[in-house]
Amino acid sequence: MRRYPCYLAFFLLLFPRLQAQEPVPASNPNPKAAIDGDVVNAATNAPIPGARVKVEQYPDEPLYTRADDQGHFQFAGLKPGVYRLHVESPGFLASDYNPVNLMIPRAGAALRSVVSSSSGLPAATAPRSTDPDGTLRARVTVPLTAQVVIAGKVTDPYGLPMAECQVELLAPRPARPGGAAIPAGPGDNPEVAHRGQADVDDRGEFRFFGLEPGKYYMVATKTGTRSWDADYRITYYPGAIALASAKPLELAAGQQVRADIQIVRQGGVRVAGRILGVRSEGAAPDSALYTNVMLVPENNPLLNANGPSASGRDEFELKSVLPGKYRLTAATYRSSTNWTGGMPKAEFGLMRDIEVGDNDMLGVDLTLQPLHDLAGIVTFHEGCKPFPIEIQVSNTGPIFGEAAKARPGPDGKFVLSGIGPGISRVNIMDPSYLGMAVPIESIRLGERDVQKNGIEVPYTGNETLSVSVKCNPARGIR
Amino acid sequence: MRVCIPLFLFGSLLAAQTVEVEVFDSLTGAPVAGASVIENGAGNAVSRTDVAGHFRTTRTASPVISFGFTISRAGYLTAYPSIASKPNQSVTNVRIPLTPAAVISGKLVDEDGFPVDHANVQAMAYRVMDGERKLRWVVSAVSNDLGEYRLKGLSAGSYYIGVQPGHARNWDGRYVFQFIDGALQPGEKNLIEVKAGQERSGVDGTLAKHEGITVAGRVVMPEGTAARQMSVDVRDSVYHNFFSAPLQSDGAFEIRHLAPGSYILRARTQNQSGEVRAGDFLATSQLQVESSDLTGLLLAPRAVQPIDISGSVVQEGGGAPQPMMIVVSGTYGAGISARSAEDGSFTLKGLLPGHYIVNAQPDYRAIRTRDAASIAFPSSARFGEKEVLESGLEVDGTSTGPLQIKLKQPIMIAGQVVDGAGNPVPNAFLWVISDRGFQGWRIVDAKGAFQFEFRTAGDYRIYAAGDQALIPDFEYIKAHEKDSQAVRIVEGQNPPIVVRLPAR
C-alpha cells in the first residue's frame, strides 16, 4: 500500500502524456484490445530478438508469441481485461508476471496503466492508447536483465573431486523496498542470508545460474547425510574457514565466472565431558537414552549448522573443534526399535554458549534439563473477530525437525509439544489462507519478548506463551 | 587378586581387533586411493585409503562379528560392505572392490529451441514395488540453464530416461512428463544402456508439447460450508505428474493437458502442507484418462475424521499367534503403530484417509526365542477382501477393517559349501541375495554346513567365499553373477543346497 504513491510518481514522470484523459469510445460497444511490445536488454536498451512472450488471463489458455529480429512483438484481437505478461530469453532473467491493464475505462475515468515489479528487477512499462476503431492498445517495453552465473569445482585437500558436498550461496541481507535491510530473525546471521545451494556432481562441478547482479559469498558445506573427515573444514571461497576472511564475488549483469574451492584441512582441539541430569537420582541407567551434542558457530550463516557433533550416553567427545565461539546444544532422545516415522521427541535438553581456545577442553560437564510441553494462550485485539490461527514453533538449528504446531481451542488455549533445545522461532499462521502470516501485536514467554529473539529452549516449566493478535486485513479481502 | 587386575587390564589392552582392507577398482584391479571410509556406528569416524588403497581400523575386541563400512569416492558406486570376522579375531587382507559408476549426460531443449532448466531428469528402471512391477526412478538430476543434465552414480544397466519438464512446464502446461525422445511411454528410443564406469554423453532431447485432455467439473460442498477454501488436484502415481487448479467462485474447476493414464482426483481444503488433517474436507476419485475430455465431474467433499482399524494376527497352521509390531506409515507425517495382544488382536488408532504402507515385524521385545527358524513372518495381510501387505492400505474413512495378518514360518534349508573337488570348506562365508536385495549372510561351520531361513519361496542367488575376504556388496555380486549360484526355493520341503566356491 505504501509503495503505491511512490511508484505512481515515478510512472507519471516517465509518461506525462498519460495524465491526459483518454476519450472513451462510445461508438464501439465491443472494443478489442491489443498489446504492442519491445523486449530490450535492461543495461543497454538493445533489442533482444527471439525472446518469447506469453499473455494470460485466468482461466483462459495463455497466448504465446516470439519477438522478431528487432525484439518487437504483438498480440491483437484480445478481449479487454487485465492480462499478465511474461517474457523470457536464454541468458536473461525471466521477467516478472507484469499485469497489463486493458480494461474498458469507465466513462470519465482517467486511464491508468498498471505496471509493477515485486522483485528488484526493472519493471516493464505500458502506456496505453485507444485506436480510431476503439481498440484499446498497450505499448509495452519489457527490460530483461542478463543473468549472472557462478560455476566452479570443489576439490578435497588432495585435489580429488569432493563428493558428498554442496555449495551454498550467501548474499548481504536483501533490502526492503524502503532501503533498509530485512532484519535478521532469531538465530540468523545479521550480515548475510542464504540465497541458494547447489549439489556438486561426480566431477565436483557445480553451477549457480539465474542470479541477479550483486555480491555473493560461496561456501562448500556438508550435505548433512555424510560425515566428513574430522579435520576437513567448511570452506568459503576462495579458501577461508570463516565468513570474515571469505572473499565475496561482486558480479555485474551478464557476468559469468568460474570460482573453484579446495577444502581446507586444519586440526582442532578436543572438547569432552560428562552428560548429567538425564536420569533420576538412584535410578538404574536407562540404556535406551542417548544424547546428541552439537556445536553451532556463533552467527552461523549457513542453512545447516554443520558444526561438530557427537553422540553418547554418559559422556561425549567432540574430536576436532576449531577455536571460536559456539552455541552448544544437547538433546536426549530415547532410542527405539519401533520406528513409527516422524522425528523423535527430545526428552532432555541444554543450550549454552561456549568459547573454544587453542587447548583441549576436557571436563565440560553438561547438566541437561527435562523438556516439557509449552502451554499458551491467544488473545485477539479488542473489536477483532477471532479467526483460526496456528502457532508454529521451529528450531533455527542445529536440531531441525518438524515444527511444533498447535491450534488454540475456543478458549484461546493451546499446548505445544516436542520443541527441541536451541533457539526457536515462533510463527503465527492463518491455516485457512495457505499459511499466510497473521499480524501480531506481541508474543511473550513469561515477560520476555520472543517475537524478535525467539524462544530459548529449555525454558523453565512454569512459563507460558502469550500471543496477542491484531485484526487480520486478509480476512476482509477475500 | 592383586595380580589379577593388572593382568586383566593388560589382557583387554591386547585384545584389540584390527581390520585391514585394500580397496580396489573392480574393473582394472588397481588400488583406489583417497576413498572415504566410514565405520558405521563408531561415531561415524572417517578415514581415507592411502595410495595403495589401504586402510586399517582398530577397535576393542568384541564378540561382534561384523564390521559395517561405507566406502565412497567420487566416480564410484558407494559400497556398504560388512566385513565378518570370527569373534575377537583380527581381519587382514580383506579386498573390497569399488565399482566405477556410469554416467548419462545430455542437453534438453523445448520446441522453441530454448534450453530447459530445472527439469528433473530421471534414469528409470522396472522394480517390484507394492507387489507390482513398476517403472521407478533410480537416479535423478536437475538440468541447468544450458539445459544440461548429468545422471551420475549409475550402476551398469539399461535405463529409460524420463523428464519432468521443470521450467518448460511453467511456461507452457502442455510440457507434461515425458521421455527423452518426447514420447509419453517408455520404449526402445528412450532406453539407454551403460556399462560399469561408462560415460554416455550426448543423450540429448527435444521436449514436445502434448495437448492432452481436459478434466472439468464442480465441487459441491455440504450444506452450510463454503467452497472457497478448497482446491482441486490430480496426480498419477507412476510419473508423479501433479496438476492443481483453484476453484472458481461457483465451485467449478478445470484442469487441462492431462496425458493418458490413471490419476487420483482430489478436492481438499487448501493448506500449506500436503497433509490432510482432521476437520479438513476431502473428496477423492479415481480417474482413467484416455483420449476424450472428461467433463461434468462432481466431487462432494466430506469432513475428514480419523478412524480406528482393528485387526488380528493369525498363525498359519493354528496355534498361539506370535507377538507382532504393526506399523502403518502414510505418505506424510508419522506412522501409526500397534502391538498385538496375546490373542493376536490389535487396534491402529486415529488413521486419516490416505494410502498406508503396512509393515508387520516380529515384536522382538515380547518374543523369547532368538532361534531364526522359529520366528514367523507375515505372508499376507487382508483388509476386508483386499490383500494389502504389498500394495498398501487405502483408508477412505468408511471401512474400518478388520485387518487380518497371517504369519508363516520361514522355509529352513540346510546346505554345505564345497570346493572344486567337492570337499567341504570349513568356516566359509556366504551371502544370499534376491531381486529384492540382500537377504542375509552366514558363516558356515567347521564341516562346511549351514542353515538359512528363506522368508518366501522364489529365486535367490548365493555367493560364497572361502575366507573372511568378501563382501556382500550388492553391485559386486550382480557384476559377478557367474560366480554366484542360483537356487529356487519352493514351499514345503527343499533338497539341501550345495554351494560351490568359485575358483580363485
Side-chain angles (χ1 to χ4, degrees):
Chain A
M1 291 292 278
R2 268 179 47 206
R3 292 183 65 202
Y4 186 68
C6 230
Y7 116 76
L8 191 65
F10 169 74
F11 189 70
L12 294 178
L13 200 73
L14 281 180
F15 305 102
R17 259 179 348 115
L18 283 175
Q19 292 172 72
Q21 213 160 305
E22 186 184 14
V24 176
S27 54
N28 187 344
N30 293 309
K32 289 288 180 191
I35 299 172
D36 280 333
D38 289 290
V39 187
V40 299
N41 184 323
T44 62
N45 260 333
I48 301 176
R52 63 182 180 188
V53 188
K54 168 165 78 168
V55 292
E56 58 188 344
Q57 188 184 44
Y58 186 80
D60 295 343
E61 280 282 274
L63 300 168
Y64 297 92
T65 194
R66 295 285 291 272
D68 64 17
D69 290 348
Q70 279 74 50
H72 187 74
F73 66 89
Q74 188 178 48
F75 290 98
L78 304 173
K79 61 179 184 187
V82 177
Y83 286 85
R84 296 207 306 164
L85 176 82
H86 192 53
V87 181
E88 59 178 40
S89 187
F92 290 87
L93 301 172
S95 75
D96 286 336
Y97 275 84
N98 299 291
V100 177
N101 187 347
L102 287 167
M103 298 278 277
I104 304 169
R106 272 173 296 138
L111 189 68
R112 284 205 303 256
S113 287
V114 177
V115 183
S116 69
S117 169
S118 52
S119 67
L121 298 176
T125 54
R128 54 178 270 193
S129 61
T130 308
D131 293 356
D133 69 351
T135 299
L136 302 161
R137 187 171 296 275
R139 295 180 195 281
V140 182
T141 303
V142 186
L144 295 186
T145 302
Q147 70 163 345
V148 164
V149 174
I150 307 170
K153 178 173 182 163
V154 183
T155 48
D156 69 12
Y158 303 98
L160 292 168
M162 186 71 187
E164 304 300 337
C165 152
Q166 68 180 12
V167 183
E168 201 175 322
L169 200 62
L170 306 171
R173 295 205 150 267
R176 282 206 166 126
I182 293 173
D188 288 343
N189 181 286
E191 308 297 329
V192 296
H194 173 85
R195 281 301 299 279
Q197 81 231 50
D199 288 332
V200 298
D201 68 18
D202 54 317
R203 304 163 300 183
E205 294 277 345
F206 64 90
R207 183 176 172 94
F208 288 103
F209 57 90
L211 298 174
E212 291 169 24
K215 179 172 164 181
Y216 295 97
Y217 292 91
M218 237 173 30
V219 51
T221 73
K222 299 173 192 175
T223 59
T225 55
R226 192 66 67 78
S227 310
W228 280 10
D229 305 47
D231 54 359
Y232 281 24
R233 300 300 168 185
I234 286 159
T235 306
Y236 289 82
Y237 174 78
I241 53 175
L243 179 61
S245 42
K247 181 177 148 199
L249 293 156
E250 304 239 28
L251 299 168
Q255 249 187 300
Q256 307 210 359
V257 295
R258 269 197 77 85
D260 298 339
I261 300 177
Q262 182 161 26
I263 298 294
V264 170
R265 192 174 173 178
Q266 188 170 321
V269 301
R270 278 169 69 209
V271 176
R274 288 182 296 170
I275 295 163
L276 305 169
V278 299
R279 67 175 61 117
S280 48
E281 200 76 27
D286 188 342
S287 64
L289 289 178
Y290 66 96
T291 301
N292 287 343
V293 180
M294 275 157 283
L295 294 185
V296 186
E298 187 183 44
N299 288 331
N300 169 44
L302 302 175
L303 201 58
N304 295 312
N306 277 306
S309 68
S311 184
R313 292 188 200 284
D314 304 308
E315 295 172 334
F316 75 98
E317 182 187 356
L318 297 156
K319 285 203 173 78
S320 182
V321 183
L322 285 180
K325 288 181 178 169
Y326 295 89
R327 192 169 81 223
L328 183 152
T329 315
T332 305
Y333 300 93
R334 187 170 293 277
S335 64
S336 167
T337 49
N338 311 319
W339 183 83
T340 56
M343 296 290 294
K345 184 177 153 184
E347 296 186 14
F348 297 87
L350 168 123
M351 186 183 93
R352 82 170 192 221
D353 292 333
I354 179 169
E355 187 163 354
V356 177
D358 295 327
N359 299 313
D360 287 354
M361 293 173 75
L362 311 177
V364 179
D365 289 350
L366 307 176
T367 304
L368 278 70
Q369 291 169 34
L371 298 176
H372 25 237
D373 292 349
L374 182 58
I377 187 156
V378 174
T379 49
F380 287 86
H381 252 214
E382 225 176 290
C384 291
K385 198 175 156 225
F387 52 89
I389 64 164
E390 183 169 284
I391 298 107
Q392 300 181 352
V393 176
S394 48
N395 207 297
T396 61
I399 304 164
F400 292 100
E402 289 164 33
K405 294 176 189 171
R407 292 188 190 181
D411 56 358
K413 289 184 179 167
F414 61 87
V415 176
L416 288 155
S417 178
I419 309 174
I423 294 176
S424 277
R425 202 186 299 247
V426 187
N427 291 313
I428 312 294
M429 308 302 242
D430 181 340
S432 315
Y433 286 90
L434 287 175
M436 196 182 285
V438 164
I440 292 301
E441 175 74 35
S442 70
I443 309 173
R444 293 183 178 281
L445 180 63
E447 292 304 307
R448 288 195 306 283
D449 174 8
V450 293
Q451 188 178 4
K452 187 161 157 273
N453 302 321
I455 300 178
E456 289 188 14
V457 184
Y459 37 78
T460 64
N462 50 19
E463 287 174 325
T464 56
L465 193 64
S466 42
V467 178
S468 169
V469 180
K470 292 181 190 170
C471 299
N472 191 353
R475 305 292 295 192
I477 290 168
R478 283 207 203 176
Chain B
M1 287 297 282
R2 262 201 211 157
V3 182
C4 239
I5 293 164
L7 258 187
F8 170 75
L9 283 176
F10 191 52
S12 74
L13 281 177
L14 271 188
Q17 223 172 340
T18 300
V19 176
E20 265 184 50
V21 171
E22 181 196 336
V23 180
F24 67 99
D25 181 308
S26 74
L27 291 187
T28 64
V32 177
S36 120
V37 181
I38 301 176
E39 193 178 336
N40 303 335
N44 286 334
V46 180
S47 50
R48 300 231 162 224
T49 54
D50 63 17
V51 284
H54 285 271
F55 77 90
R56 60 181 282 162
T57 175
T58 303
R59 56 154 76 160
T60 314
S62 73
V64 173
I65 49 173
S66 169
F67 292 74
F69 292 92
T70 304
I71 304 181
S72 60
R73 212 194 102 170
Y76 288 90
L77 300 172
T78 300
Y80 304 93
S82 279
I83 296 168
S85 81
K86 312 280 158 50
N88 301 317
Q89 282 185 20
S90 289
V91 190
T92 53
N93 304 321
V94 179
R95 299 191 76 227
I96 293 179
L98 277 193
T99 304
V103 172
I104 298 173
S105 66
K107 197 174 160 171
L108 298 173
V109 293
D110 61 21
E111 287 187 4
D112 289 330
F114 279 35
V116 179
D117 61 62
H118 290 101
N120 189 269
V121 185
Q122 307 173 354
M124 307 175 87
Y126 281 100
R127 296 276 186 272
V128 176
M129 300 282 285
D130 296 347
E132 281 176 66
R133 194 170 166 268
K134 281 183 182 170
L135 202 54
R136 289 283 155 156
W137 71 271
V138 181
V139 166
S140 73
V142 177
S143 64
N144 66 18
D145 57 314
L146 307 173
E148 295 167 344
Y149 72 90
R150 186 174 173 89
L151 293 159
K152 59 171 181 165
L154 291 165
S155 60
S158 292
Y159 301 93
Y160 297 97
I161 309 299
V163 183
Q164 197 61 262
H167 181 70
R169 163 76 184 280
N170 295 343
W171 181 257
D172 190 323
R174 289 172 288 187
Y175 289 110
V176 294
F177 179 94
Q178 54 194 278
F179 291 88
I180 192 94
D181 60 339
L184 291 174
Q185 298 300 327
E188 256 173 48
K189 285 185 176 163
N190 48 53
L191 184 65
I192 304 293
E193 190 188 353
V194 279
K195 299 191 173 66
Q198 187 188 1
E199 177 162 349
R200 275 199 68 167
S201 55
V203 181
D204 300 342
T206 300
L207 299 187
K209 292 178 204 166
H210 294 270
E211 206 53 50
I213 66 118
T214 296
V215 168
R218 218 156 67 80
V219 173
V220 185
M221 297 297 289
E223 197 94 355
T225 53
R228 60 188 183 126
Q229 287 171 21
M230 304 292 290
S231 70
V232 171
D233 57 57
V234 292
R235 65 174 74 225
D236 79 285
S237 61
V238 183
Y239 304 130
H240 303 285
N241 273 312
F242 180 82
F243 303 81
S244 72
L247 288 189
Q248 290 163 47
S249 52
D250 59 350
F253 67 89
E254 186 173 285
I255 295 171
R256 290 184 281 254
H257 312 307
L258 280 181
S262 54
Y263 296 86
I264 291 174
L265 173 68
R266 298 195 302 179
R268 67 179 187 103
T269 306
Q270 297 185 47
N271 67 33
Q272 214 173 356
S273 63
E275 223 171 318
V276 175
R277 295 185 278 206
D280 283 358
F281 284 89
L282 176 73
T284 60
S285 162
Q286 293 276 347
L287 215 57
Q288 195 59 43
V289 170
E290 278 150 19
S291 54
S292 51
D293 289 354
L294 296 171
T295 54
L297 299 170
L298 283 185
L299 288 169
R302 287 173 316 184
V304 166
Q305 297 303 338
I307 59 158
D308 295 349
I309 288 179
S310 57
S312 58
V313 177
V314 183
Q315 197 87 28
E316 198 173 72
Q322 167 184 293
M324 296 292 284
M325 175 85 191
I326 298 101
V327 182
V328 293
S329 31
T331 319
Y332 304 105
I336 287 171
S337 65
R339 292 195 144 85
S340 63
E342 222 162 275
D343 63 351
S345 66
F346 61 88
T347 306
L348 294 159
K349 289 191 173 145
L351 276 86
L352 290 168
H355 182 84
Y356 293 86
I357 291 163
V358 180
N359 185 5
Q361 292 288 335
D363 184 356
Y364 288 107
R365 279 202 202 172
I367 296 174
R368 296 239 174 80
T369 176
R370 285 289 177 273
D371 174 15
S374 57
I375 291 179
F377 283 87
S379 59
S380 90
R382 295 192 83 81
F383 185 61
E385 292 300 299
K386 210 174 162 241
E387 174 56 49
V388 296
L389 188 59
E390 298 204 305
S391 62
L393 180 64
E394 210 62 56
V395 176
D396 59 7
T398 53
S399 175
T400 56
L403 177 65
Q404 191 180 67
I405 294 172
K406 206 173 266 179
L407 302 184
K408 182 176 152 304
Q409 299 301 133
I411 304 165
M412 287 304 296
I413 297 187
Q416 195 175 36
V417 177
V418 298
D419 63 17
N423 300 316
V425 180
N427 305 327
F429 288 72
L430 61 85
W431 294 267
V432 180
I433 63 169
S434 78
D435 284 351
R436 288 157 187 250
F438 178 58
Q439 301 290 316
W441 59 277
R442 284 286 177 283
I443 304 176
V444 305
D445 70 12
K447 290 175 183 159
F450 68 91
Q451 277 210 319
F452 196 87
E453 73 287 353
F454 294 85
R455 289 193 197 168
T456 55
D459 289 318
Y460 294 85
R461 300 199 77 86
I462 299 181
Y463 188 94
D467 203 353
Q468 54 205 17
L470 281 171
I471 316 122
D473 184 61
F474 195 65
E475 292 297 336
Y476 183 82
I477 295 175
K478 252 176 36 188
H480 293 76
E481 205 168 276
K482 63 175 176 32
D483 291 341
S484 67
Q485 188 163 323
V487 288
R488 172 161 291 177
I489 306 301
V490 298
E491 295 292 347
Q493 291 297 310
N494 285 270
I497 301 171
V498 177
V499 182
R500 262 170 224 289
L501 272 191
R504 272 282 166 107

